[in-house]
Each structure stands twice: as C-alpha cells, then as structure tokens.
Amino acid sequence: MRILYIGDFHQASGPSYVDVALKSHFQESTEHSYKFWQIEKKVTLSFIREAVNADVFHVSGVSTLGFIAMLLGRMLDKLCTLTVHGSLTEESRYRSVSNWRRFLERRLIQCAHITFPVSSLLADKLGMKKECVIPNGIDTFKFSEKEKHPFDIGIIGGGRRQKRHPEVCNAIEYVIQQSGLDIQVHLFGEKGEDSEALHHFSFVHD
C-alpha cells in the first residue's frame, strides 16, 4: 500500500513532534510505501504524480496543502485520513485564529473518511462521525530519569502561549505560599512565547 503523508517534519510545534516520530517509525517499515510532504510545500507536478500513485492520503493537522491533498484524494477516490491534534475553534476563544484556518479545519474533518483525534472529548466537540481516538504519547523515560520528589508536577507543552502555563504556575505559587509545600514543576516541550515568564518561577525546571 502506498501512503502519501502530509505533515510538519520540522519540529516547530507539538504536532510536528508526532509527525517526526511517525516518519522515523514508518521509514523503518517494509509493510507499506510512504511518501512524506512538508506542509509548506507548493503543489507541483511531482506532488500530483505522488497523489495519483497513492492508495491513501493522510493529512496531519491543518494546512492549505493538506486541504488541497484531501480534495484531490476525494476526487481520485482514495482513502483520506486526518490526524486532529486540537481544535482551532476552541483556541480562537483565547487567541487570534484566522477565519481561513478555522475554515480549513472544518472542511478537512468533513472530507476525511476517518479522523484520528487525540481524545474522545475533542471528537465530540468537533462532531466527528468516523473516528479512532489515539491519545498523544509521552516519553516516560524523561519522567523516570528525574530524581523523585514528593510534590513533583510535570506540565507538557513548553512555553507555548496557548498552554497557559504561567497561569498554572501562578496557582502553584499561591499554594506554596499558603501551605509551605516544597512543590517542584518540571516543564516538557519546546520554547515559546511564555518561556521567559515561566523561568521567573524558582520552582520551574526544564
């Protein structure tokens, strides 16, 4: 089976870590043939040839190329699948999200034969009909290698603004002040807009 995978393989965001990990795994597989296309690429003759030859179109996340690929896949009567990492509609409640990206998200979900959301709650919120929930994985070694502490807390998502980790740390700071507990927070994930603010908390470590 020939699979055309459109995703972000540059490790610039949370979803891209998923794409990079899957690409590494699939490249070792001999069961199927995979072609990987970065989401920023334009539609070229080479891309169209790969699309015509593919049996399955898989799109990860929201992108214009992914939407074009999904439409092309439906026109060619191919199986189209989609990994849904989150909800732009929900994100738009606390940060600016363009109408175009929200439009793409809705249309991608409508076009996909099967969606792979990261939670059942997300599937329900987005009204998915044919889904297979696959929760985000965690590298447990990164947690187990830390020296254990009675009040260790792990937060995932790094300094990305949409995770709202400074607000979580403000709450933890309040608990520490009120209770005197020695709480330590371990931060996992990429740098982002809130990284500097998070490092102002003495109990945060990455």
Side-chain angles (χ1 to χ4, degrees), residues 6 38 43 74 78 96 141:
I6 296 94
Q38 178 65 25
V43 176
R74 294 302 295 250
K78 311 284 187 174
S96 177
F141 179 75

Side-chain angles (χ1 to χ4, degrees), residues 99-137:
N99 290 333
W100 173 244
R101 284 182 55 76
R102 281 185 281 171
F103 167 82
L104 288 178
E105 180 180 68
R106 292 193 299 270
R107 292 298 177 261
L108 280 165
I109 292 171
Q110 290 173 353
C111 286
H113 293 104
I114 304 172
T115 54
F116 299 102
V118 297
S119 72
S120 297
L121 178 62
L122 179 62
D124 291 341
K125 279 184 174 292
L126 295 177
M128 297 177 188
K129 303 301 181 184
K130 293 184 179 180
E131 80 280 355
C132 175
V133 176
I134 303 178
N136 284 328

